[in-house]
Amino acid sequence: MTAGTQQTFGLSGMQALRVALFVGLLLVAWQLLSDHFRMPVYLLPSPLAIGKSLVADYPIYAKHALATLTEIVIGFTTGVTTGVLLAIAMSRSQTIANALHVPILATQAMPTIAIAPILIIWFGVGLAPKVIVITIFSFFPVLVNTLAGLQATGDQMVKLMRSVAATEWQIYRYIRIPMALPHFFSGVRLAAAASVIGAVVVEWVSSDRGLGYLLILHESRLNTDKAFATLVILICLSITIFALTAAAERRLSWTKRLGLS
Amino acid sequence: MTPIVALEGIGKSYEGPRGERTVALTDVSFAIHEQEFVSLIGPSGCGKSTILNVVAGLLPPTSGNVLIAGNVPQAALDARKIGVVFQDAVLLPWKTVVENAGFLLMIAGRLDAAGEARVDALLQMVGLAEFRHHYPHQLSGGMRQRLSIARALALDPLLLLMDEPFGALDEFTRHRMNVELLDIWSATRKTVVFVTHNIAEAVYMSDRVIAMSPRPGRVVDDFRIDLPRPRTKEVRYTREFNDCVVHLQRLLERDEDTTP
């Protein structure tokens, strides 16, 4: 059903065409307006200027995009894994849930941008502080949603399983995990978006590579066309990651497969 | 002959969070024999569901003895010989009708060729054969509950425990389900313990109705329904049927007045 697929922003061919048409129209209008008013490039570069910059400096953008992508893939994977493991632990034991509650909230309450410099002091400008920040950004939505999903299995279902002497593992394997999957994917979608933001934030604070670094570099030099080009790549990167998680969800989550919401 | 269910002086009490004790059941004794259809009836809080949990081996009683076919309940549980049906059908929404029907057999490691054949026969019996590849969300409430009954029967259980199975259905569907369950029961002759708070339903279906009263939960009457079988829909309009209903209604109402 289309209602289900639209929710994950999985686009059908027809919808994709419409989106492309709309974006194309916007770009044309932007180009025409900036030509008409003779906008200086440092104020608002035209789409053509941005495109030229993208083509001309293609290898540089690719290098930095790859750096950011690496950070995101490692940090996002770590974040999702951490979120799932914490959710399982907290759903298994009320003691663990109580103990972890406040520390976990603290990781979300503290201003991560402000502690990024501390992480850089501790771990240098390499991969480690980035992975840590992205993990902090991405584990939380996965944890909250997966925990809700693991608790979504009703008492009667558990009782039914116990009435046929099902093992604890069977209850997880056949009931709790499939029941939690749709919730888990809601968390993953949020985490995917958050991890891109996390990567840019930490690169912004201090880094010698990555799209966030490139962005602040160009902005400080008033290379607005190049800053916009960087943004375009960043947006494309985000959408790709988002589309990949949506594709995984369509394959693995039964609510999507059956068109249920 | 050894009864399928024998309860002797069953008591169950819970300790609350502040150490106070709540008595859910006190001195409950009755026996259910093979192929009997017995209803437990009474207002909320009279411990009907607690008895079901004790019989299923899911809840140990605080006092008294339970024997299932002459053995401890755990033995029947481990042999997967207890079929359970709840008020909600509790189906797996990601599995088809036929997969749901065979699910408990699969968990029990008994979904072999014979098991699959039994699942097919049961789907036929509950009228879901042509919906075997449908998913639960495509079924009506009555169909879902029929599927959950088929799932329980697939275990070929010694005993079928039903906890207000039609309580969530509207009156018309409920009645149709009563008729269908009687048909299923006539075909399989399973021993059934049926929990309900609907007096007419209990009288219509049962060989015996055990009436219970709350605070603490106890048996107030063990009442034999001597209406002829097989029971047609017409039986509900007979004088004998109404006498049984009135008797139970009086009993439970009197009880209501004496409870604070």
Side-chain angles (χ1 to χ4, degrees), chain A residues 14-242:
Chain A
M14 197 59 205
Q15 283 170 317
L17 197 70
R18 265 184 233 141
V19 171
L21 217 71
F22 178 68
V23 174
L25 272 174
L26 272 182
L27 289 177
V28 169
W30 180 357
Q31 184 67 43
L32 290 175
L33 284 172
S34 64
D35 284 351
H36 181 76
F37 292 107
R38 298 181 186 287
M39 280 280 189
V41 171
Y42 73 89
L43 247 186
L44 185 66
S46 70
L48 276 179
I50 296 169
K52 268 182 205 149
S53 161
L54 271 177
V55 175
D57 295 334
Y58 170 73
I60 297 175
Y61 291 120
K63 188 187 103 188
H64 289 285
L66 188 66
T68 302
L69 188 63
T70 311
E71 295 159 10
I72 291 174
V73 167
I74 299 174
F76 176 63
T77 314
T78 317
V80 170
T81 314
T82 311
V84 168
L85 292 178
L86 283 174
I88 292 174
M90 290 172 80
S91 75
R92 300 283 306 159
S93 153
Q94 194 56 45
T95 318
I96 292 178
N98 291 341
L100 291 181
H101 193 73
V102 171
I104 284 171
L105 279 182
T107 66
Q108 302 305 302
M110 68 183 177
T112 313
I113 301 176
I115 66 141
I118 300 176
L119 292 175
I120 288 161
I121 293 169
W122 288 349
F123 300 105
V125 289
L127 201 57
K130 285 143 195 162
V131 169
I132 293 170
V133 169
I134 297 171
T135 303
I136 291 174
F137 267 71
S138 59
F139 88 93
F140 188 70
V142 175
L143 163 63
V144 172
N145 284 285
T146 308
L147 189 56
L150 288 173
Q151 289 162 345
T153 300
D155 293 344
Q156 290 192 346
M157 183 54 96
V158 174
K159 222 155 105 181
L160 182 75
M161 292 296 277
R162 297 215 194 289
S163 79
V164 289
T167 61
E168 203 54 30
W169 165 241
Q170 281 179 319
I171 296 178
Y172 262 88
R173 161 85 176 72
Y174 293 107
I175 312 286
R176 285 198 197 275
I177 291 174
M179 209 67 140
L181 269 183
H183 299 261
F184 164 75
F185 276 110
S186 311
V188 165
R189 252 183 288 149
L190 293 170
S195 61
V196 177
I197 297 172
V200 173
V201 161
V202 68
E203 284 173 358
W204 222 353
V205 173
S206 173
S207 185
D208 54 3
R209 75 200 66 168
L211 294 171
Y213 157 78
L214 207 56
L215 199 58
I216 199 156
L217 185 77
H218 291 319
E219 283 170 356
S220 64
R221 294 178 185 172
L222 288 186
N223 289 333
T224 315
D225 53 341
K226 290 180 179 166
F228 266 81
T230 313
L231 266 181
V232 168
I233 296 175
L234 208 48
I235 290 169
C236 291
L237 197 68
S238 287
I239 292 178
T240 309
I241 292 170
F242 212 82

Side-chain angles (χ1 to χ4, degrees), chain B residues 103-208:
Chain B
F103 177 65
L104 295 182
L105 271 184
M106 191 267 282
I107 292 296
R110 289 189 353 223
L111 193 57
D112 46 16
E116 275 170 17
R118 193 160 56 245
V119 166
D120 284 341
L122 283 164
L123 286 181
Q124 195 79 45
M125 183 191 284
V126 300
L128 289 174
E130 54 187 302
F131 299 97
R132 48 187 294 129
H133 298 304
H134 282 56
Y135 285 91
H137 72 273
Q138 298 166 313
L139 305 179
S140 70
M143 288 160 94
R144 274 183 231 152
Q145 201 52 288
R146 292 206 299 258
L147 177 52
S148 91
I149 292 170
R151 177 181 61 189
L153 288 173
L155 292 165
D156 193 19
L158 195 63
L159 180 63
L160 186 59
L161 303 177
M162 308 184 85
D163 194 353
E164 299 190 27
F166 309 136
L169 302 176
D170 65 80
E171 193 55 36
F172 301 101
T173 314
R174 173 201 284 260
H175 194 72
R176 225 179 47 235
M177 292 298 297
N178 287 165
V179 175
E180 283 179 26
L181 179 58
L182 270 194
D183 287 344
I184 293 170
W185 180 75
S186 308
T188 59
R189 294 300 291 204
K190 290 290 170 197
T191 312
V192 178
V193 184
F194 188 90
V195 166
T196 178
H197 49 230
N198 186 310
I199 295 174
E201 179 177 70
V203 171
Y204 180 63
M205 317 269 289
S206 313
D207 296 312
R208 264 163 66 208

